[in-house]
Amino acid sequence: MASFALILDTVREAMARKVFWAFFFASTAILLFFMFIMHVDVVNGMVASMTIFQANGRTHGDLSAEKLVEGAQGGLSIFLYTFGMGLAIFASAGLISAVFEPGRVELVLSKPVSRVQVLLGRYVGNLVIVAANLFYLTVGIWVIFGVKVGVWRPHMLLASVVTLFMFSVMLAFILLISVLWESAAVSIIATFALIVISLVLGAKNMLDRLLSSEFSRDLVAGLYYILPKVPDGGQILHHVITGQAVESWMPVWSTALFGIVALASGLWIFQKRNF
Amino acid sequence: MTYAIETEGLVKVYKQRWTKREMRAVDGISIRVEPGATFGLLGPNGAGKTTFVKMLLACSHPTAGRALVFGKDSWIPESRRSVGYLPENHRFPTYLTGAGMLDFYGALSGVDAATRKKRIPELLDMVGLDRWGATRLGKYSKGMLQRVGLAQALIHEPKLLVLDEPSDGVDPVGRKQIRDILHGLEEKGVTIFINSHLLQEVELFCRDVAIIRKGKVALEGRVKELTSEGGYRIDLEHAPDNLATELKGRAKAVVSNNGNLQFLFNTREEANVAFDIVRAAKCEVESMTKASSTLEEVFIRTVEQK
């Protein structure tokens, strides 16, 4: 009961802070823009030729209607992955740090709930808000695309699941930074810094060639394995959606491990804090 | 006997992150509050009252010692099931309505939905906010927030009520209303622990008090006994320093107020000797009375002790 109340409170606060609605309207604006794009002449032409290809069961070289849809959905899912996560990080940081406001935290802690419950309630509440918006955006794009093209590949719906997974890891990091600094701004800056570092480390092979010192190469490799792998997550998503084989799932489980460690550290520090 | 509140050598030391300088906010407080008592915790600003309350409610970790609530370690969430708390400088979620806020804190306190539905209108009515239940807290005045805050502390019918400055921002009518509510709870056997600066209010309401000074209990006892202490009081206006020093050495307590000095003596004989000294120093006595202190006087004497 208390856990549900804490989750519901997070959703209510997100709605009151207009965070939820800002996310919803941004998603709706994208859907409308996408609908508009699907009606421009170039797209209409492409769709018409795809329809002819499909009707005749023909392919043009390697190109088939199915392949075209795969490619388009792959591109769209990367857009959803980056845009959705960026929006979600902005939307969530303030909701976590709000828990620590003086005069508010004491009251919640004085209730017969554990500190872990309090923070996890916020964490899950945030995930619920982001999940609702991500599913709305992904399903929206999928439906528009399906109606227009007539191909209903469900693979694209995975974009919301993968984005939510990566966001849950980032949210664990936001939670850790918020517990340490009690500041929404600091947690946003730190999270985007982490993403930038992750993007740089994503080019590990190139860095290996550029770095002359073995220590530097080891450092890059160490950081690569420890930190979340945002670009790799996008790549895996693209592979899954376009039907390509995924070479390694290591980026997924190592990123999940980072998230678990960040979340556990945040909860542990919160247990030790004085308010 | 299981006490409503029992602390043993409670210590809180804050360390500055970089300089490692230590500050003892609470320095070995041991108090016992009997079930059903009305207890006032007094002390000047920075004496350690709020830190003490925060340790009692698991908001802050004790450096040493322990705090028990009805025999259970206050760190165990279950121990707080029987506690209602109204913090000082509270910040309730302004996006909630009065009823919504009571529903949220009720759920956190373990009250089931059906009971909450029944209790919320009753509590709003009790604190005089029955017509404000559907209004967002952002529109409430300070006094209204204080009253709805009291209602949230009572949503789960606690056995112990901890109130930090309960009358803060409340008008005199509201204060009387709060006092009446608290009297009603006292009659029902609820233990009430008040942390307040309003000494008159504590004197009117509390049976027991503890005065904290520099993190330690400086004085503790029944209000009646502390205020009806025996002795005689001599008031002097602008006493010369040498006379003041001599009388301070003989008096059991001294209160200084805008240059006026008030000396408290244990016996009539001591007071008469002091009177003779004053007259010999060609100084005039403003008044000499049989002492019966107010809680405020007891408080001032206690916190000004060196």
Side-chain angles (χ1 to χ4, degrees), chain A residues 45-61:
Chain A
M46 277 179 71
V47 171
S49 53
M50 273 168 52
T51 313
I52 294 165
F53 278 136
Q54 252 182 338
N56 297 338
R58 286 161 52 194
T59 58
H60 184 74

Side-chain angles (χ1 to χ4, degrees), chain B:
Chain B
M1 179 183 188
T2 306
Y3 291 95
I5 296 172
E6 186 177 10
T7 65
E8 283 173 20
L10 212 55
V11 175
K12 182 69 199 176
V13 178
Y14 288 110
K15 268 188 196 164
Q16 283 185 345
R17 193 175 277 187
W18 305 114
T19 60
K20 298 285 172 201
R21 242 183 71 189
E22 287 190 355
M23 205 275 284
R24 291 180 91 80
V26 172
D27 195 4
I29 292 184
S30 300
I31 58 166
R32 284 171 174 177
V33 179
E34 292 168 9
T38 47
F39 193 99
L41 187 68
L42 307 171
N45 291 335
K49 304 185 300 290
T50 301
T51 307
F52 175 81
V53 170
K54 283 183 176 180
M55 283 193 282
L56 200 63
L57 294 163
C59 296
S60 197
H61 293 263
T63 309
R66 62 179 192 155
L68 304 176
V69 176
F70 290 106
K72 289 181 190 152
D73 193 313
S74 68
W75 201 251
I76 304 167
E78 198 51 36
S79 73
R80 301 192 291 275
R81 198 169 287 280
S82 49
V83 184
Y85 175 47
L86 175 63
E88 188 191 13
N89 301 325
H90 45 68
R91 199 177 293 177
F92 300 124
T94 48
Y95 50 87
L96 293 177
T97 61
M101 181 266 236
L102 294 180
D103 189 64
F104 171 57
Y105 288 113
L108 289 191
S109 304
V111 182
D112 63 74
T115 313
R116 292 200 304 269
K117 206 174 168 188
K118 188 173 153 283
R119 288 273 297 156
I120 290 168
E122 288 171 6
L123 283 167
L124 285 170
D125 185 45
M126 187 175 85
V127 296
L129 295 171
D130 46 327
R131 285 183 297 141
W132 291 83
T135 307
R136 286 199 178 196
L137 294 176
K139 296 210 185 316
Y140 279 36
S141 69
K142 200 172 179 214
M144 288 161 78
L145 284 172
Q146 203 67 7
R147 281 187 281 160
V148 79
L150 179 62
Q152 73 71 34
L154 297 172
I155 185 92
H156 55 304
E157 298 186 275
K159 288 196 287 175
L160 168 64
L161 194 57
V162 179
L163 307 171
D164 211 342
E165 303 291 351
S167 310
D168 197 20
V170 183
D171 60 36
V173 178
R175 277 185 199 178
K176 164 95 174 47
Q177 202 178 13
I178 288 178
R179 223 171 23 239
D180 290 344
I181 293 168
L182 296 182
H183 276 303
L185 294 167
E186 185 193 2
E187 281 167 20
K188 286 182 188 167
V190 175
T191 312
I192 299 169
F193 185 96
I194 297 180
N195 183 3
S196 176
H197 283 104
L198 297 173
L199 299 168
Q200 269 184 326
E201 224 167 68
V202 172
E203 188 171 3
L204 271 174
F205 184 73
C206 294
R207 189 190 71 182
D208 305 306
V209 290
I211 299 175
I212 296 184
R213 189 172 153 266
K214 292 180 181 169
K216 294 180 180 196
V217 175
L219 191 71
E220 190 183 1
R222 296 265 154 117
V223 174
K224 248 185 199 170
E225 287 166 14
L226 294 175
T227 53
S228 68
E229 60 186 336
Y232 291 82
R233 200 169 60 201
I234 293 180
D235 291 0
L236 297 184
E237 206 175 325
H238 309 303
D241 287 346
N242 56 343
L243 175 63
T245 311
E246 183 166 2
L247 292 179
K248 272 180 190 171
R250 291 170 179 271
K252 70 167 177 175
V254 184
V255 176
S256 166
N257 189 10
N258 291 335
N260 294 345
L261 288 171
Q262 223 171 59
F263 298 93
L264 190 72
F265 299 95
N266 282 322
T267 62
R268 194 174 58 192
E269 289 73 31
E270 282 176 13
N272 274 304
V273 170
F275 190 90
D276 292 341
I277 292 169
V278 174
R279 295 301 298 138
K282 306 252 183 267
C283 194
E284 288 197 353
V285 170
E286 192 69 19
S287 69
M288 181 173 168
T289 49
K290 200 161 186 281
S292 83
S293 310
T294 62
L295 187 59
E296 188 176 353
E297 288 165 333
V298 173
F299 176 82
I300 290 168
R301 276 203 302 273
T302 308
V303 299
E304 283 189 347
Q305 275 171 5
K306 287 201 175 153

Side-chain angles (χ1 to χ4, degrees), chain A residues 1-3 5-6 9-10 12-13 16-17 101-115 122 180-181 270-275, chain B residues 12 14 17 54 57-61 75 77 80-81 85 87 89-93 95-96 100 103-105 107-112 116 136 152:
Chain A
M1 181 165 52
S3 297
L6 287 161
D9 181 56
T10 312
R12 273 189 193 143
E13 185 168 356
R17 282 173 175 234
E101 278 178 9
R104 180 172 174 178
V105 66
E106 295 91 343
L107 196 53
V108 173
L109 295 181
S110 74
K111 303 295 173 194
V113 287
S114 70
R115 290 189 175 199
R122 274 273 139 171
L180 287 169
W181 277 281
F270 187 51
Q271 288 269 40
K272 302 281 163 199
R273 287 284 312 268
N274 292 309
F275 293 99
Chain B
K12 182 69 199 176
Y14 288 110
R17 193 175 277 187
K54 283 183 176 180
L57 294 163
C59 296
S60 197
H61 293 263
W75 201 251
R80 301 192 291 275
R81 198 169 287 280
Y85 175 47
N89 301 325
H90 45 68
R91 199 177 293 177
F92 300 124
Y95 50 87
L96 293 177
D103 189 64
F104 171 57
Y105 288 113
L108 289 191
S109 304
V111 182
D112 63 74
R116 292 200 304 269
R136 286 199 178 196
Q152 73 71 34

Side-chain angles (χ1 to χ4, degrees), chain A residues 237-253:
Chain A
L237 174 66
H238 189 266
H239 276 43
V240 171
I241 287 175
T242 54
Q244 298 172 57
V246 176
E247 285 171 23
S248 163
W249 290 98
M250 182 280 292
V252 175
W253 64 253

Side-chain angles (χ1 to χ4, degrees), chain A residues 21-50:
Chain A
W21 298 116
F23 204 149
F24 177 78
F25 288 128
S27 303
T28 307
I30 287 165
L31 291 178
L32 292 172
F33 181 69
F34 189 65
M35 280 168 84
F36 168 74
I37 288 286
M38 294 301 280
H39 277 91
V40 296
D41 288 346
V42 179
V43 176
N44 280 333
M46 277 179 71
V47 171
S49 53
M50 273 168 52

Side-chain angles (χ1 to χ4, degrees), chain A residues 32-274:
Chain A
L32 292 172
F33 181 69
F34 189 65
M35 280 168 84
F36 168 74
I37 288 286
M38 294 301 280
H39 277 91
V40 296
D41 288 346
V42 179
V43 176
N44 280 333
M46 277 179 71
V47 171
S49 53
M50 273 168 52
T51 313
I52 294 165
F53 278 136
Q54 252 182 338
N56 297 338
R58 286 161 52 194
T59 58
H60 184 74
D62 278 346
L63 194 65
S64 66
E66 188 74 13
K67 279 269 181 226
L68 264 174
V69 172
E70 260 180 31
Q73 285 194 345
L76 282 171
S77 52
I78 292 299
F79 164 75
L80 283 171
Y81 179 73
T82 48
F83 177 81
M85 195 158 56
L87 207 59
I89 289 168
F90 273 113
S92 307
L95 288 173
I96 297 281
S97 56
V99 176
F100 312 111
E101 278 178 9
R104 180 172 174 178
V105 66
E106 295 91 343
L107 196 53
V108 173
L109 295 181
S110 74
K111 303 295 173 194
V113 287
S114 70
R115 290 189 175 199
V116 169
Q117 226 176 333
V118 171
L119 218 47
L120 275 184
R122 274 273 139 171
Y123 181 79
V124 176
N126 255 298
L127 285 184
V128 168
I129 298 155
V130 170
N133 274 296
L134 277 178
F135 287 131
Y136 168 65
L137 186 56
T138 314
V139 171
I141 289 183
W142 182 70
V143 168
I144 293 167
F145 203 81
V147 167
K148 181 74 185 177
V149 179
V151 179
W152 295 91
R153 287 182 80 247
H155 302 63
M156 200 192 139
L157 298 176
L158 273 175
S160 57
V161 178
V162 175
T163 307
L164 190 64
F165 161 74
M166 193 53 81
F167 172 71
S168 69
V169 174
M170 292 300 150
L171 187 62
F173 183 70
I174 289 173
L175 183 142
L176 172 63
I177 299 296
S178 300
V179 170
L180 287 169
W181 277 281
E182 296 179 14
S183 158
V186 172
S187 59
I188 289 176
I189 292 167
T191 309
F192 279 108
L194 180 71
I195 292 174
V196 170
I197 293 169
S198 157
L199 290 172
V200 172
L201 293 171
K204 189 170 81 63
N205 293 337
M206 195 177 79
L207 285 173
D208 276 350
R209 286 198 297 275
L210 292 173
L211 295 168
S212 53
S213 131
E214 195 164 336
F215 171 76
S216 306
R217 282 198 295 270
D218 289 345
L219 184 71
V220 166
L223 285 174
Y224 173 77
Y225 287 109
I226 292 169
L227 298 179
K229 288 140 197 79
V230 180
D232 299 49
Q235 212 167 30
I236 289 176
L237 174 66
H238 189 266
H239 276 43
V240 171
I241 287 175
T242 54
Q244 298 172 57
V246 176
E247 285 171 23
S248 163
W249 290 98
M250 182 280 292
V252 175
W253 64 253
S254 61
T255 299
L257 196 64
F258 175 88
I260 292 166
V261 171
L263 185 62
S265 308
L267 294 173
W268 184 75
I269 295 167
F270 187 51
Q271 288 269 40
K272 302 281 163 199
R273 287 284 312 268
N274 292 309

